[in-house]
Amino acid sequence: MKVAELSNPVKSDWFADQGLRLDASPYVAGSMKTRKLLEQLPRAEPLASLTAGYKGGIFSGPMFRRIFLTDPEHSVPFIGTKDMMAADLTALPRLRKSDAQSPALSYLQLKPGMTLISRSGFNAGRRAYVRPDMGDCWASEDIVKVEPDPAKIKSGYLCAFLLSKFGESLVRGSVYGSAVKHIEPHHIAGLPVPRFSAEIEERIHDLIEECAQLRAQHQADLVAATKDFFDSVGLPDLNEIRWHQGEQDLGFEVEAIDPTSLRASNYGRRAHDIKELFASKPHRKLGEICDSGQLKRGVRAIRVPTEPGNGVEFLGQRQAFWARPDERWIKYPGDPGIFAQDETVMVTARGMISENGLFGKSVLVTGGWLKYAYTEDFLRVTSGQGDVSGAYLFAFFRSDVACRLMRSMLTGTGPQNIHPSLLKEMPIPLAPPIDCERIAATVRHAYQCRDRADVLEDQALALLTTAIEEATG
């Protein structure tokens, strides 16, 4: 629970500044303290004076009925409040194109350089930068779009301020509501944006822009690696699989059922046919590949919250897919099993199934993300064979085909799990050694780009923070 600081007490004149709000959030969460700090700057301008575009450049959108399709020819990628935080956007739901391009919704198409702010729900106030590869995406009405005026401010600099601790404090302090929190565009229109010399703002902008380019490259490399995987194992058609356009798993017969499973979905024809394709190519079973590595869920540990720096940073199933996760620190439980080995494929392996949910999707743990502790709900796939690297396996596991296969191996009644016996028997196609090395190199380059992007973003935020602190004494 946050309380007012004795060194910075809440003052009566703050109520007028906050529209006579009587809830405690803007006063004790640091929003007013940040505003008073920024008032000491030689120059600060309201956010609304630095934007341009639809409705002045700060807007959300209307509520509308969402009709999702799977055919890329007739649909567009659609970003929600959680998707806007994701590092890899290849599995986004797809909105019907005729609706998206209609006059009522066409302005919801994203433009590179925008800053997105989630405006509803318990996590209202999260921010993200629109990367160069997001220009073909439409954004939910639950996202506030901030479009900078290029004649007045650099997009990367504005985003850096909104991403910084100062911007976070101001945006979070604008949140209204108790049961369902929300932010409206006019709530943030007056946020003070500090201004500095053109040189400083240009440097910060360049860092954020390069960061965005690297994150776009990260995704492009992963897409290329997965395509290379299926091309190299002689199954190029699986790059364009349309799962829901195939024959449904209805009315089929299964012979020679054994006690391993009596669940009908474990014998689905579509998944069975794909496994048969894999088995017709050079392959090894996943259990064999991971025999000297790992093929199990993580260790269960007590999660005791603690202050940042006093324990380990912990990631759950959702935040492991984000470009930058929120800080969540727990006391180190004493078991190193909460960490992951280098190039471990982490598969979301507990939860409920939905078409656009996370169950069965994968991330790779390497580089800068080895510092995190991970929930036991992840299935950890670590190769124990030198000629099959974790990076190569990830090129397969991140595909829609692999996700569908994971979901064909469900066990459990409430929260679902992946059946361990079926998992071990899954065939993994093996490309020729030179192709395996190339595919793995592409994946590794993708994660090097991601780590470099994180470093550049931290540098931009540090440069901005130093400039503000020096200007305010």
Side-chain angles (χ1 to χ4, degrees):
M1 181 180 69
K2 292 186 177 181
V3 297
E5 300 175 9
L6 295 178
S7 60
N8 187 51
V10 176
K11 300 178 181 179
S12 60
D13 60 354
W14 290 9
F15 290 94
D17 294 339
Q18 286 292 320
L20 301 179
R21 287 179 62 175
L22 298 180
D23 57 308
S25 176
Y27 308 108
V28 302
S31 176
M32 284 303 301
K33 180 180 179 181
T34 300
R35 283 181 178 271
K36 296 303 179 183
L37 175 68
L38 296 182
E39 287 177 1
Q40 303 175 36
L41 291 170
R43 183 185 171 202
E45 301 178 39
L47 178 61
S49 69
L50 302 171
T51 58
Y54 182 79
K55 288 190 175 181
I58 306 175
F59 60 97
S60 53
M63 294 184 65
F64 63 94
R65 185 177 65 165
R66 303 174 183 179
I67 298 177
F68 295 110
L69 304 177
T70 57
D71 189 342
E73 184 178 350
H74 300 290
S75 60
V76 297
F78 185 70
I79 290 180
T81 55
K82 295 183 177 68
D83 299 320
M84 72 184 224
M85 308 300 295
D88 187 349
L89 302 174
T90 52
L92 289 175
R94 302 187 68 88
L95 188 68
R96 187 166 66 179
K97 183 181 289 187
S98 59
D99 292 339
Q101 295 179 344
S102 68
L105 301 178
S106 60
Y107 64 89
L108 295 182
Q109 184 175 4
L110 298 180
K111 298 178 183 178
M114 282 181 168
T115 297
L116 307 181
I117 302 175
S118 58
R119 76 175 191 93
S120 64
F122 289 104
N123 296 311
R126 287 194 170 119
R127 291 89 56 224
Y129 193 56
V130 178
R131 307 183 320 226
D133 59 332
M134 295 168 65
D136 62 343
C137 298
W138 264 248
S140 162
E141 71 275 12
D142 293 323
I143 297 174
V144 174
K145 277 67 76 174
V146 179
E147 183 177 353
D149 185 343
K152 297 179 179 178
I153 194 169
K154 296 287 187 179
S155 61
Y157 171 75
L158 178 58
C159 179
F161 171 69
L162 293 173
L163 288 176
S164 71
K165 63 180 182 181
F166 306 101
E168 177 176 20
S169 176
L170 293 173
V171 171
R172 298 280 190 184
S174 303
V175 174
Y176 280 73
S178 54
V180 179
K181 301 181 183 297
H182 69 278
I183 300 173
E184 296 296 336
H186 66 269
H187 294 159
I188 62 173
L191 297 187
V193 179
R195 304 306 304 272
F196 298 101
S197 68
E199 179 186 359
I200 291 178
E201 293 189 7
E202 183 81 27
R203 287 170 58 195
I204 294 172
H205 166 77
D206 289 344
L207 288 169
I208 294 295
E209 270 294 296
E210 187 178 354
C211 168
Q213 294 281 355
L214 287 168
R215 286 180 177 156
Q217 185 63 50
H218 164 79
Q219 177 168 308
D221 282 348
L222 293 184
V223 172
T226 297
K227 182 179 185 304
D228 195 2
F229 175 92
F230 287 112
D231 289 345
S232 299
V233 298
L235 298 171
D237 290 345
L238 294 184
N239 282 310
E240 303 295 334
I241 189 171
R242 299 287 180 263
W243 187 262
H244 293 293
Q245 294 176 11
E247 186 178 351
Q248 294 186 353
D249 295 329
L250 298 175
F252 58 89
E253 295 183 2
V254 180
E255 299 179 357
I257 291 180
D258 60 43
T260 300
S261 174
L262 298 178
R263 189 171 187 166
S265 63
N266 293 155
Y267 299 94
R269 293 294 90 188
R270 285 177 291 182
H272 176 269
D273 290 345
I274 290 174
K275 291 178 185 177
E276 289 291 307
L277 274 177
F278 289 172
S280 69
K281 304 292 182 179
H283 70 279
R284 289 181 206 155
K285 293 182 178 179
L286 185 60
E288 179 185 351
I289 293 173
C290 299
D291 184 49
S292 299
Q294 276 186 309
L295 187 60
K296 61 181 181 180
R297 289 241 303 271
V299 299
R300 181 171 297 179
I302 298 176
R303 307 170 189 175
V304 180
T306 186
E307 293 297 319
N310 291 336
V312 295
E313 285 191 78
F314 179 82
L315 295 186
Q317 289 188 108
R318 181 169 297 281
Q319 294 222 346
F321 291 85
W322 288 9
R324 298 300 295 270
D326 288 343
E327 280 195 357
R328 180 185 177 187
W329 289 77
I330 63 170
K331 291 183 178 179
Y332 178 50
D335 190 336
I338 62 174
F339 298 102
Q341 301 175 33
D342 191 21
E343 293 198 358
T344 294
V345 179
M346 306 286 258
V347 184
T348 49
R350 174 180 288 175
M352 302 302 292
I353 307 301
S354 64
E355 177 59 26
N356 295 313
L358 290 176
F359 195 104
K361 296 183 179 178
S362 306
V363 294
L364 183 69
V365 179
T366 187
W369 287 60
L370 290 168
K371 67 180 180 180
Y372 294 111
Y374 293 86
T375 174
E376 72 273 10
D377 296 328
F378 275 116
L379 169 71
R380 297 163 185 244
V381 181
T382 307
S383 173
Q385 299 184 345
D387 60 336
V388 182
S389 66
Y392 174 80
L393 288 176
F394 180 66
F396 164 70
F397 271 96
R398 68 170 298 278
S399 69
D400 185 55
V401 172
C403 181
R404 300 294 178 181
L405 292 181
M406 294 295 106
R407 293 180 179 186
S408 75
M409 304 178 193
L410 298 179
T411 182
T413 53
Q416 302 291 292
N417 299 284
I418 297 176
H419 198 300
S421 297
L422 298 177
L423 186 66
K424 290 178 181 178
E425 294 299 311
M426 185 173 71
I428 303 295
L430 296 180
I434 190 171
D435 295 329
C436 289
E437 293 174 6
R438 184 184 62 253
I439 293 167
T442 304
V443 170
R444 288 168 183 148
H445 181 261
Y447 278 87
Q448 289 166 3
C449 289
R450 182 175 180 173
D451 284 348
R452 178 60 181 163
D454 293 346
V455 171
L456 294 178
E457 183 178 279
D458 290 341
Q459 288 177 359
L461 297 180
L463 183 57
L464 175 64
T465 300
T466 299
I468 292 176
E469 290 177 347
E470 288 180 351
T472 57

